Amino acid sequence: MNFIDNKFRAVYISSTKRAAEINKPMAKLIRISNTSWQQPFKDRKKELHLWNTQTEVASFCKLKNETKRLLNIRFEDRFNIDITQEFQITSLTQIYFPKDLQDKIQNIIFNNPESYFTVTVLDTSETLYTPSDIKWFKSVTNEELREAYLDFDENTFVLNFPNKHKTNILSPNKGEIILIYQKVNGIPAFTHLVTPVNDTLVDTERINYRYGRLVKIIAKTNRNNYINVSSTLWKKVKLSGITQGNACKIENIGSAENIDELQLNIWEWFKNYFVPSERQSEAITSSIIKELELTNSDVTGKEGELKLITHIVKERNRKIVIEKKRLAVKNNTLKCEVCSFSFIDVYQSNFIECHHITPISQSEGIIETRLEDLALVCSNCHRMLHTKFNGLYLSIRQLQIRLQNICRQEK
């Protein structure tokens, strides 16, 4: 074989290897639930900007080409990367990672081929929960095992009540969260956050716990990672014997002081235990808390913080916000309701923000957001609506008047 033949052979082998690398199937995506999957790093050589979506999850969550979706990207705890933001879905139903994120994860991915990150689609739930929705407390037990509701994987179950409390079973409303307390391995612990699914009394035909309520799980621990009451702010609350299996409103527990702090504290303890279908609530609330820590010096004390968090979460209900903007575009009214600024006129963009017109001080207890509850505002006016003036938040009309007075003074 002459020199030319050897050179041709070398080029052929090299190109064949490259083709094999390009066509080599990437590590299989592992479906975790209807809204999340695991992305292994194995076989990822250099491309970090495009990542495939898991077929079944993409179908369930309706991930469509050329759209933006709210996703949570969470690496193993040792890497301390947990990102929640809107990501672009490309024409091939892939997720596009922006350059700053690529740079941040490059060394982790190439140096840890055995690891992975988890993708969760967050904007699939129509209901967003906040710490202020934790309204009820209930102790539970199992007559035989002593521990209850820890040995199943379903997202719903019947929460049983003693027969003597039948009349109170329907007291918690849909959307209100019940904090479950029990002893695990003999240790007082919190194990679940649940909320009623409907307003129906369930007859389980059990002798002493005949009636119950169908609830869905918001967050759940197990025997190995339960939340020890003594590690939380709730250790100061006298929990034993309060409910005797009944659901008790937290505000009615005599030893429960600073309820806002208790709600925020237990929410934080459950942070890593939200079920995939409810991760949107945890992720959005966490991002708002971080945002407020960085940008809002007007929030003083846990009470003010919790009310503002609840208010902003209602503004970020993706489904109702999209419909509000759609109607504004259709009616040619997509402009700030305070200052009349139009992103369409200035930037040729349909951008606008939504503000919940219910006063922040009254945000708690409002479960459903309607179209008429939202106002369209520009970024500057929205920031001012979340800023206190002389200790009070302004309404849309009050901010309009304030702006008009400033304009008159400048003339």
Side-chain angles (χ1 to χ4, degrees):
M1 186 178 289
N2 58 32
F3 172 77
I4 294 177
D5 290 335
N6 286 334
K7 183 176 181 181
F8 174 80
R9 183 170 180 272
V11 170
Y12 173 78
I13 292 173
S14 176
S15 62
T16 302
K17 283 184 175 180
R18 286 200 300 272
E21 285 295 325
I22 292 173
N23 295 318
K24 184 178 181 180
M26 303 300 290
K28 183 178 180 181
L29 303 180
I30 303 170
R31 178 177 172 275
I32 299 174
S33 71
N34 286 336
T35 58
S36 64
W37 71 88
Q38 201 175 88
Q39 167 68 66
F41 299 160
K42 183 182 178 183
D43 299 328
R44 180 65 66 160
K45 299 300 181 184
K46 59 178 181 178
E47 299 295 342
L48 297 178
H49 64 299
L50 293 176
W51 298 81
N52 291 332
T53 55
Q54 205 279 338
T55 304
E56 294 170 290
V57 176
S59 175
F60 180 85
C61 298
K62 299 178 181 178
L63 298 182
K64 297 181 179 180
N65 301 338
E66 306 301 333
T67 60
K68 285 189 175 181
R69 298 296 296 270
L70 185 66
L71 307 178
N72 173 257
I73 310 294
R74 178 176 292 186
F75 284 62
E76 287 188 282
D77 290 343
R78 57 185 167 132
F79 300 123
N80 196 31
I81 296 181
D82 188 349
I83 298 170
T84 297
Q85 66 182 53
E86 287 193 328
F87 286 84
Q88 182 72 39
I89 308 298
T90 72
S91 59
L92 296 177
T93 321
Q94 295 176 307
I95 303 170
Y96 174 76
F97 278 17
K99 184 64 167 57
D100 59 338
L101 180 54
Q102 295 177 46
D103 294 339
K104 188 174 184 179
I105 67 178
Q106 180 175 344
N107 290 335
I108 294 175
I109 289 177
F110 293 155
N111 295 333
N112 300 275
E114 81 293 346
S115 190
Y116 60 89
F117 60 72
T118 301
V119 181
T120 304
V121 184
L122 296 176
D123 50 9
T124 58
S125 175
E126 294 185 5
T127 303
L128 293 178
Y129 300 98
T130 70
S132 63
D133 292 319
I134 305 175
K135 303 285 190 183
W136 299 82
F137 168 87
K138 184 181 185 319
S139 63
V140 299
T141 187
N142 184 292
E143 292 176 321
E144 298 177 1
L145 302 175
R146 311 304 299 172
E147 299 156 2
Y149 311 115
L150 296 177
D151 295 320
F152 58 88
D153 297 322
E154 293 83 1
N155 281 342
T156 60
F157 65 89
V158 175
L159 183 62
N160 294 103
F161 286 71
N163 294 348
K164 62 182 178 180
H165 295 310
K166 176 184 176 182
T167 57
N168 196 47
I169 295 177
L170 298 181
S171 293
N173 295 316
K174 290 170 58 179
E176 294 181 340
I177 296 177
I178 305 169
L179 172 62
I180 301 295
Y181 162 86
Q182 61 181 305
K183 288 188 176 181
V184 181
N185 300 324
I187 298 174
F190 295 122
T191 56
H192 300 71
L193 296 177
V194 301
T195 188
V197 171
N198 53 40
D199 297 319
T200 303
L201 193 70
V202 179
D203 188 343
T204 65
E205 299 184 356
R206 295 176 60 184
I207 297 176
N208 297 321
Y209 294 83
R210 178 170 178 175
Y211 301 99
R213 186 87 177 271
L214 185 65
V215 297
K216 72 172 181 177
I217 299 173
I218 306 298
K220 174 182 178 290
T221 65
N222 58 45
R223 284 189 178 83
N224 298 320
N225 58 17
Y226 57 84
I227 299 170
N228 191 323
V229 174
S230 65
S231 300
T232 73
L233 291 181
W234 290 73
K235 62 185 178 182
K236 300 178 182 179
V237 181
K238 296 178 181 178
L239 301 176
S240 298
I242 290 178
T243 69
Q244 296 180 337
N246 193 13
C248 177
K249 265 206 165 181
I250 294 174
E251 64 184 31
N252 293 333
I253 300 176
S255 57
E257 300 177 354
N258 301 318
I259 292 176
D260 288 351
E261 287 192 22
L262 293 174
Q263 291 170 316
L264 275 170
N265 178 254
I266 199 60
W267 182 277
E268 282 293 308
W269 275 99
F270 272 102
K271 179 177 179 179
N272 294 323
Y273 305 117
F274 276 71
V275 297
S277 59
E278 304 299 338
R279 283 284 309 282
Q280 180 182 5
S281 295
E282 185 280 319
I284 289 179
T285 298
S286 292
S287 67
I288 290 172
I289 290 173
K290 292 177 183 177
E291 183 181 316
L292 292 178
E293 289 174 348
L294 293 173
T295 64
N296 202 317
S297 59
D298 298 301
V299 180
T300 56
K302 293 296 181 182
E303 179 177 1
E305 180 182 357
L306 186 55
K307 285 184 169 62
L308 185 52
I309 289 169
T310 303
H311 180 91
I312 296 175
V313 166
K314 297 180 193 307
E315 295 175 351
R316 297 188 183 179
N317 184 321
R318 180 182 175 86
K319 185 176 180 179
I320 195 74
V321 166
I322 288 175
E323 180 62 13
K324 181 75 174 182
K325 292 180 180 179
R326 186 190 69 79
L327 290 176
V329 171
K330 178 182 178 181
N331 298 325
N332 197 27
T333 57
L334 193 72
K335 60 182 180 180
C336 178
E337 295 183 27
V338 176
C339 69
S340 299
F341 180 85
S342 170
F343 285 89
I344 293 179
D345 293 343
V346 178
Y347 298 110
Q348 291 75 55
S349 170
N350 286 344
F351 179 82
I352 198 78
E353 294 184 11
C354 281
H355 174 71
H356 202 294
I357 61 177
T358 301
I360 292 173
S361 61
Q362 300 172 20
S363 286
E364 292 184 54
I366 300 174
I367 303 299
E368 183 180 357
T369 298
R370 302 164 299 175
L371 287 174
E372 55 266 34
D373 295 329
L374 295 175
L376 298 175
V377 293
C378 69
S379 306
N380 286 342
C381 290
H382 200 186
R383 182 72 178 87
M384 292 301 98
L385 289 166
H386 286 173
T387 300
K388 285 184 178 180
F389 293 87
N390 298 322
L392 299 173
Y393 294 104
L394 301 182
S395 67
I396 295 286
R397 182 57 184 155
Q398 289 170 329
L399 187 57
Q400 285 176 337
I401 294 173
R402 188 180 183 90
L403 185 59
Q404 291 168 0
N405 291 338
I406 293 173
C407 291
R408 290 195 190 98
Q409 292 173 6
E410 291 181 348
K411 293 179 181 180

